Amino acid sequence: MELCIHDRGSGSRAAPSAEDPYTKSYCDLGVHQSMLRDRERCQWYRNAIEQVLKERPGMVVLDVGTGTGLLAMFAARAGARKVYAVESSRMASLAQMNVFDNGMSDIVDVLHSRIEDVKLPEKVDLIVSEWMGHYLLHESMIDSVIFARDNFLKEEGTMLPSSARILLAPVSAERVWRDKVEFWSDPEETWGLTLHAVHPVAVEQMVSSPMIVRVDETDVIELPQVLWECDMYKITPAEVRKIAKSMTFAVNQTMRGACIWFEVSEDSSNSVLDTSPSKPETHWKQTLGKCVDVMDALINNDGAVMFPEEVLPSFLPSGKVSCVTEMSRVHGTRQYNLMIDLKPVPEERKDS
């Protein structure tokens, strides 16, 4: 069933002639409901917008990907002189209605268009956008925000968020393992019947591809390291096509993969939206990355990627694991291939 929107008041402008699958997906109200229910997300944006506009009231604001119009209306309520709210999906009409119903039509101008096709009558003081996807870059909306910055932001303008970074840490993923794998061997879950045949398939599915899950803080077995970071005032599209980094972690217990999450910041106030396992859950959750090319000796009989305590001295004499992570954008799509390659770090030779 397609979303049917009826006009009310002054309609949104310049509707695109067609919607690609990504744009069309944002007509699903469930997507917007999950974002509105994410209190960490909404409170961070509301507080950051209010702080920026408190310091510089009367700003002209551009909201890239306004959706329901939430951030645009936050800006209007906080004292913006004008807000241009750009939305490429047909949610633009609903955003226009929401703006009208909140008495903000004189401040917020909803534009039904891709940001790349928009023509604004003036430069803006502030660009705000909730562009982040899973593991930060999923959906590749950052390209549109970069375009908006290069074409519409004043020289001394503000980006919100103003910086971002991706973090990675090795995890035991005990809860996920119990839920996704051990479930099939638990007679209480399988109504007293034996479903062991499913077990190896469950293992394969868990270790063969990334999963978007909530990882428990207690399952993080080593301090995280920064995989990638960017300054939103300087980042270019070329810099987000491919990300690769090698890191080394100390491992002294069972490891079933690597957990990835992100942070974004409003640097002038040191305000951070943190999606880590140690913080309240957000709709982004975390990404449990797949692990490939692991030495056979480090894979137990169930096929799970592990470094059990009993094999650590033999196969991890250094007690360290090399983690090479690569994110590469799939050509012509908004998706990324995510690869995590784990290998034991050889023990350092000591001169005799």
Side-chain angles (χ1 to χ4, degrees), residues 93-148:
S93 293
L94 288 181
Q96 182 67 39
M97 295 178 195
N98 292 335
V99 168
F100 178 83
D101 289 343
N102 283 277
M104 298 178 178
S105 296
D106 57 333
I107 299 175
V108 180
D109 192 356
V110 178
L111 306 175
H112 187 183
S113 174
R114 298 189 322 136
I115 188 66
E116 293 82 359
D117 300 326
V118 162
K119 296 185 185 302
L120 296 182
E122 58 186 324
K123 293 281 189 175
V124 304
D125 303 292
L126 169 65
I127 292 177
V128 60
S129 180
E130 197 274 78
W131 53 266
M132 301 83 72
H134 299 298
Y135 56 83
L136 187 70
L137 296 177
H138 183 75
E139 299 182 8
S140 301
M141 190 180 162
I142 190 173
D143 288 11
S144 296
V145 178
I146 294 170
F147 178 91

